[in-house]
């Protein structure tokens, strides 16, 4: 008799963040590892018709985190800094604990985009000017990372401007000087003649509760590693996930697949924790007093 597959429930938001997860499911890589992975899709800032629960400033009230908090999923991934914030603050606020269990497979490109009519040619010109992000998301953290090499921290002015689609609209209306976008919305912006001022990758982290054991996580990460390799070999084959999120605003060939970057999940090291936590703490974006032992659990490699 065939051995039954182990059921795992995971959540996702935007395809650019979760592409290896989707590919591992649809190409049968999870099944090959003995897993039946149920992916619960939740609203994200990159989905054209997303609702605003995904953008609430209190991260525990957002759809994905709320589902995890209620026990409706076992595992999730977000930008590295967002996962850090949630892992550090969960127990202090009475929410369901979640530890960092890996440095994730998706390296999502974020870009600061401007309207050429504004005549902004270099990062220094954004001093004191509003930049559209969503707070405590990858767009927020990556914007700070990108600009702190050019501006003093107090000169970086970010504003909450909704979803990617709404940020692009605010930019077109001149309501903001720049917008932080990810794919497929960077490609949508370029199609509309907007200027990419600068860009970088925002690494994902994987998070899970103590209920999800190490061998199961290891099997998930092996499948995601296979998916990352498959995407790298043929990005066009998997571009449809991102095109769908643009809701008809982008044709497949207009997507810049060169921005798709994925890698095998790997342990979250103490050095990585110290660097990321101290940076996030330095911006006042996370609670003090966290430790590596209390925040990270690399049980998939033990």
């Amino acid at each position: 008799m065939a051995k039954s597959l182990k059921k795992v429930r995971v959540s996702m938001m935007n395809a650019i963040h979760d592409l290896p997860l989707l590919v591992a499911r649809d190409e049968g890589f999870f099944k090959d590892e003995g897993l039946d992975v149920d992916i619960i899709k939740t609203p994200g800032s990159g989905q054209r018709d997303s609702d605003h629960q995904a953008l609430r400033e209190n991260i525990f009230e957002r759809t994905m985190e709320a589902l995890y908090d209620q026990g409706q999923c076992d595992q999730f991934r977000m930008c590295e800094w967002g996962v850090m914030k949630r892992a550090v603050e969960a127990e202090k606020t009475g929410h369901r604990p979640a530890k960092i269990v890996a440095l994730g497979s998706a390296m999502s490109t974020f870009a600061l985009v401007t309207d050429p009519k504004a005549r902004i040619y270099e990062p220094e010109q954004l001093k004191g000017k509003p930049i559209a992000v969503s707070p405590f998301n990858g767009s927020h953290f990556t914007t700070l990372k990108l600009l702190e090499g050019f501006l003093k921290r107090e000169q970086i002015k970010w504003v909450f401007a909704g979803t990617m689609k709404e940020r692009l609209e605010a930019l077109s209306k001149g309501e903001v000087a720049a917008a932080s976008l990810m794919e497929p919305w960077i490609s949508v912006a370029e199609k509309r003649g907007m200027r990419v001022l600068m860009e970088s990758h925002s690494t994902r982290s994987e998070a899970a509760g103590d209920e999800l054991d190490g061998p199961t996580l290891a099997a998930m990460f092996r499948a995601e590693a296979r998916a990352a390799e498959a995407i790298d070999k043929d990005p066009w084959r998997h571009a449809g996930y991102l095109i769908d999120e643009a809701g008809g605003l982008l044709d497949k060939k207009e997507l810049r697949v060169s921005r798709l970057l994925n890698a095998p999940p790997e342990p979250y090291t103490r050095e990585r924790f110290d660097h990321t936590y101290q940076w996030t703490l330095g911006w006042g974006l996370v609670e003090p007093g966290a430790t590596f032992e209390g925040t990270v659990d690399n049980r998939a490699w033990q």
Side-chain angles (χ1 to χ4, degrees):
M1 183 179 297
K3 185 179 179 180
S4 60
L5 300 176
K6 181 167 184 177
K7 187 82 171 180
V8 182
R9 298 167 303 170
V10 304
S11 63
M12 67 155 287
M13 291 190 297
N14 305 295
I16 189 66
H17 303 331
D18 298 278
L19 196 53
L21 190 76
L22 296 167
V23 171
R25 178 196 63 187
D26 295 344
E27 296 293 327
F29 299 156
F30 284 132
K31 186 176 180 181
D32 292 344
E33 294 287 346
L35 302 175
D36 176 12
V37 175
D38 181 20
I39 300 176
I40 304 169
K41 188 175 182 180
T42 64
S45 61
Q47 299 163 25
R48 187 183 181 188
D49 299 317
S50 180
D51 68 46
H52 279 258
Q53 186 173 343
L55 302 172
R56 289 181 179 174
E57 188 164 345
N58 184 336
I59 62 172
F60 296 102
E61 293 180 356
R62 296 173 183 172
T63 314
M64 186 178 73
E65 290 90 333
L67 287 174
Y68 175 80
D69 211 31
Q70 297 160 12
Q72 296 184 41
C73 67
D74 309 304
Q75 198 267 337
F76 62 91
R77 69 215 43 76
M78 298 187 295
C79 73
E80 181 180 4
W81 310 283
V83 169
M84 178 72 72
K85 181 176 176 64
R86 198 208 186 284
V88 167
E89 296 179 5
E91 290 189 271
K92 293 185 178 183
T93 52
H95 293 276
R96 181 185 176 190
K99 290 189 176 181
I100 301 171
V101 292
L103 191 64
S105 53
M107 315 299 174
S108 312
T109 299
F110 275 93
L112 292 181
V113 177
T114 64
D115 188 330
K117 295 193 297 293
R119 296 187 178 183
I120 294 173
Y121 307 106
E122 57 183 357
E124 288 86 348
Q125 290 179 269
L126 292 177
K127 181 172 65 176
K129 295 181 179 178
I131 303 164
V133 307
S134 58
F136 305 119
N137 276 330
S139 62
H140 179 193
F141 298 113
T142 308
T143 294
L144 301 180
K145 281 275 190 178
L146 282 167
L147 287 177
E148 66 182 353
F150 296 89
L151 301 174
K152 295 179 181 178
R153 288 191 170 190
E154 61 270 20
Q155 294 173 335
I156 302 173
K157 181 182 178 182
W158 62 269
V159 295
F160 179 26
T163 65
M164 298 285 161
K165 179 174 178 285
E166 290 170 332
R167 292 175 218 176
L168 193 51
E169 291 171 350
L171 183 63
S172 299
K173 295 176 182 177
E175 296 171 352
V176 295
S180 179
L181 304 175
M182 62 193 179
E183 289 293 5
W185 295 96
I186 307 172
S187 291
V188 172
E190 289 182 315
K191 180 180 179 180
R192 295 181 177 179
M194 298 297 175
R195 173 181 296 136
V196 173
L197 190 66
M198 58 194 308
E199 59 186 275
S200 181
H201 286 100
S202 164
T203 305
R204 304 294 96 192
S205 284
E206 303 267 356
D210 293 338
E211 303 85 353
L212 199 55
D213 62 86
T216 300
L217 283 169
M220 291 180 63
F221 297 156
R222 287 194 297 270
E224 289 179 35
R226 285 184 65 190
E229 183 179 5
I231 297 165
D232 187 51
K233 286 182 177 179
D234 189 0
W236 289 114
R237 172 182 168 87
H238 309 288
Y241 298 98
L242 281 80
I243 299 302
D244 289 346
E245 286 191 345
L249 298 178
L250 199 68
D251 293 332
K252 184 175 180 179
K253 291 298 181 181
E254 293 170 325
L255 177 70
R256 287 278 297 277
V257 295
S258 61
R259 290 194 176 103
L260 302 185
L261 179 62
N262 300 274
E266 59 185 47
Y268 201 88
T269 65
R270 184 181 296 272
E271 180 183 5
R272 184 93 186 195
F273 170 82
D274 290 341
H275 178 82
T276 302
Y277 179 61
Q278 290 303 320
W279 179 85
T280 312
L281 188 63
W283 274 97
L285 300 172
V286 69
E287 293 292 325
T291 64
F292 176 80
E293 289 77 13
T295 310
V296 179
D297 188 342
N298 289 309
R299 57 185 177 268
W301 288 273
Q302 295 171 355

